[in-house]
Amino acid sequence: MTSFDYLTQRQQCLREHKRFRNLVARELDGVHVIDPDGRRLLNFGANDYLGLGMEMRGNQDHYGELSIGNADLDLRVAGGSGASALLSGWTISHEQLSKQIAELEETEAAVLFPTGFAACSGAVSTLAEAGDLILSDELNHASLIDGCRLSRAECVVYPHRDWQKVDQVLQQRRREFSRVWIVTNTIFGMDGDIAPLDCLQEVAEQHDACVIADEAHGTGVLGTDGSGVCDALGVKSKIAIRIGTLSKAVGSQGGFVAAPRVIVDHLINHCRSLIYSTSLAPSAVSAALAGIGEIRTRPERRQRVQKLARQVRSELSVNVTSKLEASVPIIPVIVGTDPRVIEVSAQLAKSGFYIPAIRPPTVPEGTARLRISLSAAHEAEMIDELLVAIRRLL
């Protein structure tokens, strides 16, 4: 595994100068915060200028009487966190969630972000520095691409899933750079295909590089423990830095980075999308805790959606490169032209099915498609009706 001793040395310097920052788990109680040592302090560190968040957290009865349109206010009761994680926005629940994620991912630590986009762009732009090289898959998510652009590292975009090209570049240029980061989605969101993580990790080991894997579509869906593709391909213990989202299979909102403690501490002290963003709302944290709990204790959910994915891919003759890939619940149906895919999507809507039409620039020219996203909540009859409707139109 890549050594992060250089970060340990930097953090020691911060400690010596009293500039090292930790996340402190506090309890929010109206206008007060309660420190880990039990002190109840008046909170002058939040940005809750009108006191609405404080009231919602501390006076459920008052807000239960309000009516805003037809909205269900249950999720508003907890209010927002009121501040960034380094101020007063890191609560005991945030701490609990980060530990649950670290346990699922089997890493030393994890840290939460307000969105998956913030986690990806923030982690990549913070870790990759001037004098480094990033190798980025050409079909990586926009958040990873933005992270590459925001960093001061040189970035080489390699052909989709082409680990041999990564190896070739490093054979020719590795000595030019202090550090090398191989950045990839584990599952690509528009095609539902899987990165060759085992091959990429082998290349990384040969060239003293570090893989950063974004498990946005893998968390909760694949792996014997539900942690994602890294586990499914047997490289979970080797890929040190894994990014995930709480807004897909977990069923909440937010993102995370699971990594060695030194990496997490580096992000806490330097990652702008973490430091300067209000932390996750308590309601999102609670929902994520419930979602992680389901993933860890109810494997039948992911087994069901995997089974549905294999069925639909087989029925629609969607090509896959492996049995694992056949279990991914993102299924592209390539239509071709923009007008045609819009027409087909509209016809499906008339038949009672919402399947979005995905067009350039999200996907390459000439590959406009329907993107089918399956869920364990879909019943067998729903799948059968969907397949009949698609066959009728295509």
Side-chain angles (χ1 to χ4, degrees):
M1 184 178 292
T2 302
S3 172
F4 300 112
D5 289 345
Y6 72 101
L7 294 181
T8 301
Q9 294 170 4
R10 292 182 191 177
Q11 289 168 20
Q12 182 56 36
C13 183
L14 289 176
R15 288 186 174 93
E16 291 171 358
H17 288 83
K18 307 299 182 185
R19 291 184 177 178
F20 184 79
R21 294 176 285 190
N22 292 300
L23 296 178
V24 179
R26 298 179 173 92
E27 183 179 348
L28 301 180
D29 182 18
V31 76
H32 293 85
V33 294
I34 301 175
D35 267 359
D37 60 7
R39 291 181 302 171
R40 191 166 184 266
L41 309 174
L42 279 169
N43 185 3
F44 289 97
N47 299 315
D48 187 4
Y49 302 121
L50 300 183
L52 294 176
M54 295 177 185
E55 280 196 27
M56 282 188 273
R57 289 191 297 271
N59 190 352
Q60 180 172 346
D61 292 339
H62 172 68
Y63 278 89
E65 297 171 358
L66 293 182
S67 176
I68 300 179
N70 295 318
D72 182 350
L73 295 183
D74 287 347
L75 292 181
R76 292 190 63 228
V77 170
S81 63
S84 68
L86 280 169
L87 294 180
S88 60
W90 188 260
T91 68
I92 294 171
S93 295
H94 289 80
E95 183 77 7
Q96 182 183 1
L97 177 57
S98 69
K99 288 180 177 178
Q100 289 287 319
I101 292 170
E103 288 179 12
L104 175 66
E105 295 289 344
E106 298 179 353
T107 56
E108 291 179 348
V111 67
L112 309 177
F113 285 76
T115 65
F117 197 108
C120 286
S121 61
V124 173
S125 62
T126 302
L127 292 169
E129 303 174 344
D132 292 358
L133 173 67
I134 298 172
L135 290 155
S136 175
D137 190 290
E138 68 176 336
L139 295 188
N140 273 343
H141 189 265
S143 58
L144 295 175
I145 294 171
D146 282 3
C148 295
R149 291 172 175 171
L150 287 168
S151 79
R152 297 183 180 182
E154 181 176 336
C155 183
V156 172
V157 178
Y158 62 87
H160 184 46
R161 302 201 296 181
D162 190 347
W163 63 268
Q164 292 100 331
K165 181 63 174 180
V166 174
D167 185 41
Q168 181 185 38
V169 171
L170 292 180
Q171 286 182 27
Q172 296 172 349
R173 302 194 61 193
R174 176 63 184 89
R175 286 176 291 182
E176 299 176 29
F177 303 97
S178 299
R179 286 170 291 275
V180 173
W181 309 88
I182 302 172
V183 177
T184 184
N185 286 113
T186 62
I187 296 174
F188 295 89
M190 291 300 117
D191 293 278
D193 52 353
I194 291 177
L197 293 178
D198 46 354
C199 297
L200 289 172
Q201 178 57 29
E202 185 176 344
V203 170
E205 291 173 2
Q206 292 173 357
H207 298 284
D208 188 26
C210 181
V211 176
I212 299 178
D214 174 19
E215 287 271 27
H217 296 283
T219 303
V221 177
L222 297 181
T224 56
D225 59 2
S227 62
V229 180
C230 291
D231 180 71
L233 291 180
V235 292
K236 184 176 179 179
S237 63
K238 297 179 180 180
I239 295 180
I241 304 170
R242 301 191 293 279
I243 307 172
T245 182
L246 303 172
S247 62
K248 294 181 172 62
V250 178
S252 180
Q253 186 173 355
F256 65 84
V257 175
R261 180 79 253 177
V262 66
I263 292 292
V264 169
D265 283 343
H266 183 68
L267 295 175
I268 290 170
N269 281 270
H270 299 284
C271 183
R272 296 167 72 88
S273 63
L274 170 65
I275 296 169
Y276 300 107
S277 293
T278 299
S279 67
L280 281 180
S283 58
V285 175
S286 296
L289 280 166
I292 294 294
E294 285 288 299
I295 289 169
R296 300 181 73 180
T297 60
R298 297 280 300 278
E300 61 269 22
R301 288 181 180 269
R302 59 180 172 274
Q303 291 165 359
R304 172 168 173 73
V305 77
Q306 290 173 17
K307 181 179 179 181
L308 293 178
R310 291 191 293 269
Q311 175 192 349
V312 173
R313 284 178 183 269
S314 175
E315 294 278 356
L316 296 179
S317 300
V318 177
N319 292 329
V320 294
T321 59
S322 67
K323 182 179 179 180
L324 180 64
E325 195 168 280
S327 300
V328 174
I330 301 168
I331 301 173
V333 179
I334 306 299
V335 175
T337 66
D338 295 7
R340 177 58 178 156
V341 77
I342 293 172
E343 177 188 0
V344 173
S345 179
Q347 289 297 320
L348 286 167
K350 290 180 180 179
S351 299
F353 302 98
Y354 172 68
I355 305 177
I358 309 298
R359 292 157 285 163
T362 304
V363 294
E365 291 288 344
T367 68
R369 68 198 62 186
L370 301 171
R371 182 182 183 270
I372 302 172
S373 298
L374 299 175
S375 168
H378 288 138
E379 299 175 1
E381 295 80 5
M382 299 173 181
I383 299 297
D384 292 340
E385 293 170 2
L386 170 67
L387 292 170
V388 169
I390 291 177
R391 290 195 192 100
R392 185 172 63 246
L393 290 170
L394 298 178

